[in-house]
Amino acid sequence: MLRTSLQAGLAGAFLALSSATALADPLVAAAGLAPAAIADEGMWLFNNPPTEQLRERYGFDITDEWLEHVRKSAVRVSTGGSGSIVSASGLVMTNHHVASDILERLSTAENDLLANGFHAETMDAELPCPDVHLDVLWSIEDVTERVDGPAAGLDAAAAGAARRKAMTEIEDAAKKETGLHAEVVTLYQGGRYHLYLYKRFDDIRMVFAPEKGIAFFGGDNDNFEYPRYCLDVTFLRIYEDGKPYVPEHFLSWSEAGAADGELTFVTGHPGSTQRLNTVAHLEYLRDVAVPGALHRLMRQEVLLNIFSGTSEEHRRVAEGDLFGIQNTRKVYLGRTAGLLDPAVFEAKRDEEDRLREEVEKNAEWEEKWGSAWDEVAAAQRAARSMSLRYNVAGGPGLGLGAQLGGYAVTIARLADELPKASTDRLREYGDASLPRLYQGLYSPAPIYPDFEMMRLESALSLMAETLGAEDPMVVAALAGKSPRARAAECILGTTLMDIEARKALVEGGASAVEAANDPLIGLAQALDPFSRELRKRYEDEVQSVERAAYAKIAAARFAVFGEGVYPDATFTLRLSYGAVKGYQDGDREIPPFTEFAGLYEKAEERAGESWYTLPESWSSREDSVVPTTKFNLVSTHDIIGGNSGSPMVNRKGEVVGLIFDGNIQSLIGNYAYSDEVARSVSVDSRGIMGALEQVYDAKRIVAELKGQAAGK
Amino acid sequence: MLRTSLQAGLAGAFLALSSATALADPLVAAAGLAPAAIADEGMWLFNNPPTEQLRERYGFDITDEWLEHVRKSAVRVSTGGSGSIVSASGLVMTNHHVASDILERLSTAENDLLANGFHAETMDAELPCPDVHLDVLWSIEDVTERVDGPAAGLDAAAAGAARRKAMTEIEDAAKKETGLHAEVVTLYQGGRYHLYLYKRFDDIRMVFAPEKGIAFFGGDNDNFEYPRYCLDVTFLRIYEDGKPYVPEHFLSWSEAGAADGELTFVTGHPGSTQRLNTVAHLEYLRDVAVPGALHRLMRQEVLLNIFSGTSEEHRRVAEGDLFGIQNTRKVYLGRTAGLLDPAVFEAKRDEEDRLREEVEKNAEWEEKWGSAWDEVAAAQRAARSMSLRYNVAGGPGLGLGAQLGGYAVTIARLADELPKASTDRLREYGDASLPRLYQGLYSPAPIYPDFEMMRLESALSLMAETLGAEDPMVVAALAGKSPRARAAECILGTTLMDIEARKALVEGGASAVEAANDPLIGLAQALDPFSRELRKRYEDEVQSVERAAYAKIAAARFAVFGEGVYPDATFTLRLSYGAVKGYQDGDREIPPFTEFAGLYEKAEERAGESWYTLPESWSSREDSVVPTTKFNLVSTHDIIGGNSGSPMVNRKGEVVGLIFDGNIQSLIGNYAYSDEVARSVSVDSRGIMGALEQVYDAKRIVAELKGQAAGK
């Protein structure tokens, strides 16, 4: 599944990494630094679209109106995926696995919405989703000069601080002026800064979700595989002022779907790629960051499995986390395999040598940019010296392994940060970020003490296992107790389970926090100085150095190759184009489409295995569904984790599919695009409509998608 | 389950570690270095039994005849556990989980003996077990002077080499003289060396095993928990010259079982404890060795889970390994929790301080032994500098993650080692060790190429993830390929699947090996120099230094406390004593016995969960079994991993139970004994007999156990 690392709960700079499979690919050598993108490559900016490529390859003239229409129909989902508005009444389509955290939170011990699905037969039955918001990209402005200006002439660390301050100022001013959510996006690793303004919606309700058994048919086993048979869809609805939102733009539904070979587009929010990384940077990822992340993922997977085995309630509580961890672990195994493939490195080395040669030929360029690659290498050495410690301390956010731990850190830091000017605070405590921060902090989502205790113990134990029990940070964390005893003390003794208690502490500020003497906040406070020091070192010695050096490399690339290149993914809206197309897997010819009939065949073939057990809604209708209904499809679009839930549209901007995965060969996409065997995987629009009509009898949604009526 | 690390495929000095839970225990402070063992503590040597303690605590006079009878009725199982001879026709009782590797090897795609169980209704139907041998301890001799003599006056590394050479010479001579299998055992960390001679039996056949569903009822979930309901038993038979073995000694069966509070004995082979380790040594285990082992275990668990999910055949093939890994992982989680409990370290520090003070008071002692603790600390610093590398290189044996890889290493090393004199070879290639080595190498056990490929890829990838892709050892291992490609090349290209090919290479020696140009042997040869160098450094800078220093500490302990102390466990025969006794778990009073009725209650309570699903043999007899039949029991015996399958006998030497586990509180046993809540868990002799009579209708075995007839 194309979840971003955000979704799996893995925030932090060291975890926004890279991906590839072990399959050597002849195209790798040609990709990446080539002056013009090959084939259907590219995650393009909406203000720098691949106009020429579309005209040349497909004879399609992309217009500003077309771009605005699909842009304003696209949404970014706060749980870490993409989606689209698909009706005149604010109906939103995304993936089931993007919405799975929401479904888990809406579940109770009596009704597990992940297992059973959900179908609001009337509008009144639509369920409010706590803590979820959707963003629609309203405008883009280049603010590179405003960000870089204050940094001119400063050393790397001071320049980094100056840029971070300028970004916060720009965001705060824009939010004040427009009321829109503002984010300055760093593009081309610091080559450009764009101000993105979003219309933010936070009254979101659950409309329809199928059972996990069909949404995730084949489970972790078939994840990143093809052919597939998954109904990985969920419908939400945007409300405004308590009523269904009436959008200016939404995507119409294509009942005909796309044909084999047809040009289509994907609009979504790819999370992160590392295609422009230097070789030294990739070596750091290969030898330190990715193995470290893989270790932590596998550890979490085992501990979640143990916890899940202890009771049915524990299984349900941990299911979403386990699902996310297994998905990310599969991605990281792919990345490890790719990074350990010498062919990938050879290609990257060749590309880097070519660019550096061009720079060296020009004395002015060499003077301005020639040192950049060594500077990136120095930043990687710095990262090697601190990454273990930074990661077990939870990265920039000081993770305490659990929901309550996150609240404790936020409350402790708010008490310290709010008295400062917005631009002097830690970036995520700036005025523009506060509404979302409060939304998370005052979430009514259920909290499970057993689960919290297990996760906090795990985080504390990992810290000790990694740094040694006598490391000062570990000593501060454990306070003379074992991880288990310390976790029990903190979780059983905290008042943060209660939303009102959290509000009172935030509103009361530092003195209220001090008076409360909450053990979990005490733990956060004990670790805070270590975390802040590590973060500062990481920002100064790694991020700022990288930022400055990559800005030089980006400038070199613009000079050598021109402006017609796309930046690495940044979890912001991008446009990909490509064709519906099968592929060759060894001896096997894989056709582009699957059908309902194939689902039933597979279920029979793997009978008895839980991942292949159909929900009753599907098994009982085996004889009545139309077996030739197109179900899933593959295409050549350039996508990555975060694109989950992206709509696939045709030239007319109509929905023909819903991205939900890539095949295993596409995991190389973090480093380089290939269209030989790497494929995006979507649910066909005909499969979605077929399921709603033939299996779920969801007349209200069907009518709404067909534009016959606004949902009632 | 009390499997040794041997069983989980985790050989290597860094993995023979220590264990404890997070539960602080007031008794910890008193245990360990106390002059006389407290309560029922001790894994006693048969030539230094706890005669006084038994007389004082239980009024029992232990005799040489009694000791010889139970010693010669005990067997050590080559798969890494214990067992006992229980009939006049060589019937052997052990645990199902000790025999699970054997059952897996005897299984086919058509008949999964683990799932279905096995019952030979006649003697002809008893199945030969490849690669298994049983050892009976025939004699013990103190050879301390012969081992230490050649080391006198040498520095630590040279002394270590001299001792290893002396041990090989003693073993070779004893084997030559007696025909018995000879092992020099290092006791008291080098304080004493004893020569153990074993009668070895290698025609072993499978007689009876219940279904895994009842043997391991509750699965990984209930492992190390109590109350329990497991029929963790398997019966094997020793054959000699093609006929059932007629033993001089065997244990009679007690149909009455043991009463609450009754004195009983356990004879078995505890694998390894670290109760005499210095604080510096425990710190190394806590901060480096145990976390490293836990990381590797969790990684293997995840990869085996993935492999198992891909097909039913893969699930079956990997089941035994997965089972072993999960068990060991549970032990290591317990060890981690225990090592991170500051109370455990405080108690150890106090103990160490007390002994050192006694030594310091005596100038002669201080002169001879006073430096020992600093020497152990120096060895730990050396271990820290090389442990990561040594471990991913597979420890002393150069692990290549798979069965075929092991064959390749053995063949490559045999070609190098056999031309040398026995005493100049690597220890495990000495003449005395060769029969067992050949037995393993020419095993007819099935080999699964998919599984081999996965495990070799995993081992190669782990090496690269740990050391970095450009480390010389990694470069030599990968030979310019990705781990996946290299594993495929080696496994698809090797001839070692074929027993005759393995024999031909061994018999042909170095020239045959060179001519074969086998890619897997090539991999072993490429890594061999790195492995040998690491091993030599580890032996010289860690093992030899530790050995010399611990010998001093042992001498100090004998001087201060006298000879009446037991050594740490060494996977050799020991005697433990104790009482059948329940315990208090928080608020709950846990009675010592469970009954058949409780099994059915638990199965109903956890209905639908696979670990709690009874096999048909049991579910269909719910109404006919005697519900009050005693099933499992707990007792205060001091045991540890390796004791699995140990018989529990009464004063008359009759079987009253079969050890199969400890409770979670007993995992602290690696560092210290406690009888407050730590308990051994056994199958009651009445539960075994009840199952054979009431469920399995196993008349032949029942008659044999009751001494009514030799099995026919």
Side-chain angles (χ1 to χ4, degrees), chain B residues 19-78:
Chain B
S19 152
T21 66
L23 300 161
D25 189 324
L27 285 174
V28 170
L33 276 182
I38 58 154
D40 296 335
E41 177 174 354
M43 301 167 178
W44 299 89
L45 296 171
F46 271 76
N47 53 348
N48 187 14
T51 311
E52 273 175 48
Q53 290 90 330
L54 284 168
R55 195 175 295 130
E56 280 170 24
R57 281 179 69 83
Y58 291 101
F60 179 69
D61 280 311
I62 200 162
T63 64
D64 287 347
E65 292 68 34
W66 192 97
L67 285 165
E68 186 184 3
H69 175 68
V70 298
R71 167 165 62 81
K72 287 191 169 168
S73 301
V75 302
R76 184 169 68 172
V77 185
S78 60

Coordinates of all heavy atoms in Angstrom, one line a residue, chain B residues 19-78:
Chain B
S19 N 19.2 -14.3 31.6 CA 17.7 -14.2 31.6 C 17.2 -13.7 32.9 O 17.7 -13.9 33.9 CB 17.2 -15.6 31.3 OG 16.0 -15.8 31.9
A20 N 16.1 -12.9 32.8 CA 15.4 -12.4 34.0 C 14.2 -11.7 33.6 O 14.0 -11.3 32.4 CB 16.3 -11.5 34.8
T21 N 13.2 -11.6 34.5 CA 12.1 -10.8 34.2 C 12.2 -9.4 34.8 O 13.2 -9.1 35.4 CB 10.8 -11.4 34.8 OG1 10.9 -11.3 36.2 CG2 10.6 -12.8 34.4
A22 N 11.2 -8.6 34.6 CA 11.2 -7.2 35.1 C 10.8 -7.2 36.5 O 10.7 -6.1 37.2 CB 10.3 -6.3 34.3
L23 N 10.4 -8.3 37.1 CA 9.9 -8.3 38.4 C 10.9 -8.3 39.5 O 11.7 -9.2 39.6 CB 9.0 -9.6 38.6 CG 7.9 -9.7 37.6 CD1 7.4 -11.1 37.5 CD2 6.8 -8.7 38.0
A24 N 11.0 -7.2 40.2 CA 12.0 -7.1 41.2 C 11.6 -8.1 42.3 O 10.5 -8.4 42.6 CB 12.0 -5.7 41.8
D25 N 12.6 -8.7 42.9 CA 12.4 -9.8 43.8 C 13.3 -9.6 45.0 O 14.5 -9.5 44.9 CB 12.7 -11.1 43.2 CG 12.3 -12.3 44.0 OD1 12.4 -12.2 45.2 OD2 11.8 -13.3 43.4
P26 N 12.7 -9.5 46.2 CA 13.5 -9.3 47.4 C 14.6 -10.4 47.6 O 15.6 -10.1 48.2 CB 12.5 -9.3 48.6 CG 11.3 -10.0 48.0 CD 11.3 -9.7 46.5
L27 N 14.4 -11.6 47.1 CA 15.4 -12.6 47.3 C 16.6 -12.4 46.4 O 17.6 -13.0 46.7 CB 14.7 -14.0 46.9 CG 13.8 -14.5 48.0 CD1 13.1 -15.7 47.5 CD2 14.5 -14.7 49.3
V28 N 16.5 -11.7 45.4 CA 17.6 -11.5 44.5 C 18.8 -11.0 45.3 O 19.9 -11.5 45.1 CB 17.3 -10.4 43.4 CG1 18.5 -10.1 42.6 CG2 16.2 -11.0 42.5
A29 N 18.6 -10.1 46.2 CA 19.7 -9.5 46.9 C 20.5 -10.6 47.7 O 21.7 -10.5 48.0 CB 19.2 -8.4 47.8
A30 N 19.8 -11.6 48.1 CA 20.4 -12.6 49.0 C 21.0 -13.7 48.2 O 21.9 -14.5 48.7 CB 19.4 -13.2 50.0
A31 N 20.7 -13.9 46.9 CA 21.1 -15.1 46.2 C 22.4 -14.9 45.5 O 23.0 -13.8 45.6 CB 20.0 -15.4 45.1
G32 N 22.9 -15.9 44.8 CA 24.0 -15.8 44.0 C 25.3 -16.1 44.7 O 25.9 -17.2 44.6
L33 N 25.8 -15.1 45.4 CA 27.2 -15.3 46.0 C 27.1 -15.8 47.4 O 28.1 -15.9 48.1 CB 27.9 -14.0 46.0 CG 28.7 -13.7 44.7 CD1 29.4 -12.4 44.8 CD2 29.6 -14.8 44.3
A34 N 25.9 -16.1 47.9 CA 25.7 -16.5 49.3 C 26.6 -17.8 49.4 O 26.7 -18.6 48.5 CB 24.3 -16.8 49.6
P35 N 27.2 -18.0 50.6 CA 28.1 -19.2 50.8 C 27.3 -20.5 50.6 O 27.8 -21.4 50.0 CB 28.6 -19.0 52.2 CG 27.7 -17.9 52.9 CD 27.2 -17.1 51.8
A36 N 26.1 -20.6 51.2 CA 25.4 -21.8 51.0 C 24.1 -21.4 50.2 O 23.6 -20.4 50.3 CB 24.9 -22.4 52.3
A37 N 23.8 -22.3 49.3 CA 22.6 -22.0 48.4 C 21.4 -22.0 49.3 O 21.2 -22.7 50.2 CB 22.4 -23.1 47.4
I38 N 20.5 -21.0 49.0 CA 19.3 -20.8 49.8 C 18.2 -21.7 49.3 O 18.2 -22.1 48.1 CB 18.8 -19.4 49.7 CG1 18.5 -19.0 48.3 CG2 19.7 -18.4 50.4 CD1 17.4 -17.9 48.1
A39 N 17.2 -22.0 50.1 CA 16.0 -22.7 49.7 C 16.4 -23.9 48.8 O 17.3 -24.7 49.1 CB 15.1 -21.7 48.9
D40 N 15.6 -24.1 47.7 CA 15.8 -25.2 46.8 C 16.8 -24.9 45.6 O 16.7 -25.5 44.6 CB 14.5 -25.7 46.3 CG 13.6 -26.2 47.4 OD1 14.1 -26.6 48.5 OD2 12.4 -26.2 47.2
E41 N 17.7 -23.9 45.9 CA 18.5 -23.5 44.8 C 19.6 -24.5 44.4 O 20.0 -25.3 45.2 CB 19.3 -22.2 45.2 CG 20.2 -21.7 44.2 CD 20.9 -20.3 44.6 OE1 20.5 -19.7 45.6 OE2 21.8 -19.9 43.8
G42 N 19.9 -24.5 43.1 CA 21.1 -25.2 42.7 C 20.9 -26.2 41.6 O 19.9 -26.9 41.5
M43 N 21.8 -26.2 40.6 CA 21.9 -27.2 39.5 C 23.2 -27.9 39.8 O 24.3 -27.6 39.4 CB 22.0 -26.4 38.2 CG 20.8 -25.5 37.9 SD 21.0 -24.4 36.5 CE 19.4 -23.6 36.5
W44 N 23.0 -29.0 40.6 CA 24.2 -29.6 41.2 C 24.9 -30.6 40.3 O 24.2 -31.3 39.6 CB 23.8 -30.3 42.6 CG 23.2 -29.3 43.5 CD1 21.9 -28.9 43.6 CD2 24.0 -28.5 44.5 NE1 21.8 -27.9 44.6 CE2 23.0 -27.6 45.1 CE3 25.3 -28.4 44.8 CZ2 23.4 -26.7 46.1 CZ3 25.7 -27.5 45.8 CH2 24.8 -26.7 46.4
L45 N 26.2 -30.7 40.5 CA 27.0 -31.8 39.8 C 26.7 -33.1 40.5 O 26.5 -33.2 41.7 CB 28.5 -31.4 39.9 CG 28.9 -30.1 39.3 CD1 30.4 -29.8 39.7 CD2 28.8 -30.2 37.8
F46 N 26.7 -34.2 39.6 CA 26.5 -35.5 40.2 C 27.7 -36.0 41.0 O 27.5 -36.9 41.9 CB 26.2 -36.5 39.0 CG 24.7 -36.6 38.8 CD1 24.0 -35.6 38.1 CD2 23.9 -37.6 39.3 CE1 22.7 -35.6 37.9 CE2 22.6 -37.7 39.1 CZ 21.9 -36.7 38.4
N47 N 28.8 -35.4 40.8 CA 30.0 -35.7 41.7 C 30.2 -34.7 42.8 O 31.2 -34.7 43.5 CB 31.3 -35.9 40.9 CG 31.6 -34.7 40.0 OD1 30.7 -33.9 39.8 ND2 32.8 -34.7 39.4
N48 N 29.2 -33.8 43.0 CA 29.3 -32.9 44.1 C 27.8 -32.6 44.5 O 27.4 -31.4 44.4 CB 30.1 -31.7 43.8 CG 30.3 -30.7 45.0 OD1 30.1 -31.2 46.1 ND2 30.7 -29.5 44.7
P49 N 27.0 -33.6 44.9 CA 25.6 -33.4 45.1 C 25.3 -32.6 46.4 O 26.2 -32.5 47.3 CB 25.0 -34.8 45.2 CG 26.2 -35.6 45.7 CD 27.4 -35.0 45.2
P50 N 24.1 -32.1 46.6 CA 23.7 -31.3 47.8 C 23.3 -32.2 48.9 O 22.2 -32.0 49.5 CB 22.6 -30.5 47.2 CG 21.9 -31.4 46.2 CD 23.0 -32.2 45.6
T51 N 24.3 -33.0 49.3 CA 23.9 -34.1 50.4 C 23.4 -33.4 51.7 O 22.4 -33.9 52.2 CB 25.2 -34.9 50.6 OG1 25.8 -35.3 49.4 CG2 24.9 -36.1 51.5
E52 N 24.1 -32.4 52.1 CA 23.8 -31.8 53.4 C 22.4 -31.1 53.3 O 21.6 -31.3 54.2 CB 24.8 -30.8 53.9 CG 25.9 -31.5 54.7 CD 27.0 -30.4 55.0 OE1 26.6 -29.3 55.4 OE2 28.2 -30.7 54.7
Q53 N 22.2 -30.3 52.3 CA 21.0 -29.6 52.1 C 19.8 -30.5 52.1 O 18.8 -30.3 52.7 CB 21.0 -28.8 50.8 CG 21.9 -27.6 50.8 CD 23.3 -27.9 50.3 OE1 23.8 -29.1 50.4 NE2 24.0 -27.0 49.7
L54 N 19.9 -31.7 51.4 CA 18.8 -32.6 51.3 C 18.5 -33.2 52.7 O 17.3 -33.4 53.0 CB 19.1 -33.7 50.3 CG 19.0 -33.2 48.8 CD1 19.6 -34.3 47.9 CD2 17.5 -33.0 48.5
R55 N 19.6 -33.5 53.4 CA 19.4 -34.1 54.8 C 18.7 -33.0 55.7 O 17.7 -33.3 56.3 CB 20.7 -34.5 55.3 CG 20.5 -35.5 56.5 CD 21.9 -36.0 57.0 NE 22.5 -36.9 56.1 CZ 23.8 -36.7 55.7 NH1 24.6 -35.8 56.2 NH2 24.3 -37.6 54.8
E56 N 19.2 -31.8 55.6 CA 18.7 -30.8 56.5 C 17.3 -30.3 56.2 O 16.4 -30.2 57.0 CB 19.6 -29.6 56.5 CG 20.9 -29.7 57.4 CD 21.9 -28.6 57.1 OE1 21.4 -27.5 56.7 OE2 23.1 -28.8 57.4
R57 N 17.1 -30.1 54.9 CA 15.8 -29.5 54.5 C 14.7 -30.6 54.4 O 13.5 -30.3 54.6 CB 15.9 -28.8 53.1 CG 16.5 -27.4 53.2 CD 16.5 -26.8 51.8 NE 15.2 -26.5 51.3 CZ 14.6 -25.4 51.5 NH1 15.0 -24.5 52.3 NH2 13.4 -25.1 50.9
Y58 N 15.1 -31.8 53.9 CA 14.0 -32.8 53.6 C 14.3 -34.1 54.3 O 13.5 -35.1 54.1 CB 14.0 -33.0 52.1 CG 13.4 -31.8 51.4 CD1 14.3 -30.9 50.7 CD2 12.0 -31.5 51.3 CE1 13.8 -29.8 50.0 CE2 11.5 -30.4 50.6 CZ 12.4 -29.6 50.0 OH 11.9 -28.5 49.3
G59 N 15.3 -34.2 55.1 CA 15.6 -35.5 55.8 C 15.8 -36.6 54.8 O 15.5 -37.8 55.1
F60 N 16.4 -36.3 53.6 CA 16.6 -37.4 52.6 C 18.1 -37.6 52.5 O 18.9 -36.7 52.3 CB 16.0 -36.9 51.3 CG 16.3 -37.9 50.1 CD1 15.5 -39.1 50.1 CD2 17.2 -37.6 49.1 CE1 15.7 -40.0 49.1 CE2 17.3 -38.6 48.1 CZ 16.6 -39.7 48.1
D61 N 18.5 -38.9 52.6 CA 19.9 -39.3 52.5 C 20.1 -39.8 51.1 O 19.7 -40.9 50.7 CB 20.2 -40.5 53.5 CG 20.4 -39.9 54.9 OD1 21.2 -38.9 55.0 OD2 19.8 -40.4 55.8
I62 N 20.8 -39.0 50.3 CA 21.1 -39.4 48.9 C 22.3 -40.3 48.9 O 23.3 -40.1 49.6 CB 21.3 -38.1 48.1 CG1 21.0 -38.4 46.6 CG2 22.7 -37.5 48.3 CD1 20.8 -37.1 45.8
T63 N 22.1 -41.4 48.1 CA 23.2 -42.4 48.1 C 23.9 -42.5 46.7 O 23.3 -42.0 45.7 CB 22.6 -43.8 48.3 OG1 21.7 -44.1 47.2 CG2 21.9 -43.9 49.7
D64 N 25.0 -43.1 46.6 CA 25.7 -43.2 45.3 C 24.9 -44.1 44.4 O 24.9 -43.8 43.2 CB 27.1 -43.8 45.5 CG 28.1 -42.8 46.2 OD1 27.7 -41.6 46.2 OD2 29.1 -43.2 46.7
E65 N 24.3 -45.1 44.9 CA 23.5 -46.0 44.1 C 22.3 -45.2 43.4 O 22.0 -45.3 42.3 CB 22.9 -47.1 44.9 CG 23.9 -48.1 45.4 CD 24.8 -47.5 46.5 OE1 24.3 -46.7 47.3 OE2 26.0 -47.9 46.5
W66 N 21.6 -44.4 44.3 CA 20.5 -43.6 43.8 C 21.0 -42.7 42.7 O 20.4 -42.5 41.6 CB 19.9 -42.8 45.0 CG 18.6 -42.1 44.7 CD1 17.4 -42.6 45.0 CD2 18.4 -40.8 44.1 NE1 16.4 -41.7 44.6 CE2 17.0 -40.6 44.0 CE3 19.2 -39.9 43.5 CZ2 16.4 -39.5 43.5 CZ3 18.7 -38.7 43.0 CH2 17.3 -38.5 43.0
L67 N 22.1 -42.0 42.9 CA 22.7 -41.1 41.9 C 23.0 -41.8 40.6 O 22.7 -41.3 39.5 CB 23.9 -40.4 42.5 CG 23.6 -39.3 43.6 CD1 24.9 -38.9 44.3 CD2 23.0 -38.1 42.9
E68 N 23.7 -43.0 40.7 CA 24.0 -43.7 39.5 C 22.8 -44.1 38.7 O 22.7 -44.0 37.5 CB 24.9 -44.9 39.8 CG 25.4 -45.5 38.5 CD 26.2 -46.8 38.7 OE1 26.3 -47.3 39.9 OE2 26.7 -47.4 37.7
H69 N 21.8 -44.5 39.5 CA 20.6 -45.0 38.8 C 19.9 -43.9 38.0 O 19.5 -44.1 36.8 CB 19.6 -45.6 39.9 CG 18.3 -46.0 39.3 ND1 18.1 -47.0 38.5 CD2 17.0 -45.4 39.5 CE1 16.8 -47.1 38.1 NE2 16.1 -46.2 38.7
V70 N 19.7 -42.7 38.6 CA 19.0 -41.7 37.9 C 19.9 -41.1 36.8 O 19.5 -40.7 35.7 CB 18.4 -40.6 38.8 CG1 17.4 -41.1 39.8 CG2 19.5 -39.8 39.6
R71 N 21.3 -41.0 37.1 CA 22.2 -40.5 36.1 C 22.1 -41.4 34.8 O 22.0 -40.9 33.7 CB 23.6 -40.5 36.6 CG 24.7 -40.2 35.6 CD 26.0 -39.8 36.2 NE 26.6 -40.8 37.0 CZ 27.3 -41.9 36.6 NH1 27.4 -42.1 35.3 NH2 27.8 -42.8 37.5
K72 N 22.2 -42.7 35.0 CA 22.2 -43.6 33.8 C 20.9 -43.8 33.2 O 20.8 -44.4 32.1 CB 22.9 -44.9 34.2 CG 24.4 -44.8 34.4 CD 25.1 -46.1 34.5 CE 26.6 -46.0 34.4 NZ 27.3 -47.2 34.8
S73 N 19.8 -43.3 33.8 CA 18.5 -43.2 33.2 C 18.2 -41.9 32.4 O 17.2 -41.8 31.8 CB 17.4 -43.4 34.3 OG 17.6 -44.6 35.0
A74 N 19.2 -41.0 32.6 CA 19.0 -39.7 31.9 C 19.6 -39.7 30.6 O 20.7 -40.3 30.4 CB 19.5 -38.6 32.8
V75 N 19.0 -39.0 29.6 CA 19.7 -38.8 28.3 C 19.7 -37.3 27.9 O 18.9 -36.5 28.3 CB 18.9 -39.6 27.2 CG1 18.9 -41.1 27.5 CG2 17.6 -39.0 26.9
R76 N 20.8 -37.0 27.2 CA 20.8 -35.7 26.5 C 20.5 -35.8 25.1 O 21.0 -36.7 24.4 CB 22.3 -35.1 26.7 CG 22.4 -33.7 26.2 CD 23.7 -33.1 26.5 NE 24.8 -33.7 25.8 CZ 26.1 -33.3 25.8 NH1 26.4 -32.2 26.6 NH2 27.0 -33.9 25.2
V77 N 19.5 -35.0 24.6 CA 19.0 -35.1 23.2 C 19.8 -34.2 22.3 O 19.9 -33.0 22.7 CB 17.5 -34.8 23.2 CG1 16.9 -35.1 21.8 CG2 16.7 -35.6 24.2
S78 N 20.2 -34.7 21.2 CA 21.1 -33.8 20.4 C 20.4 -32.6 19.8 O 21.0 -31.7 19.3 CB 21.7 -34.7 19.2 OG 20.7 -35.2 18.4

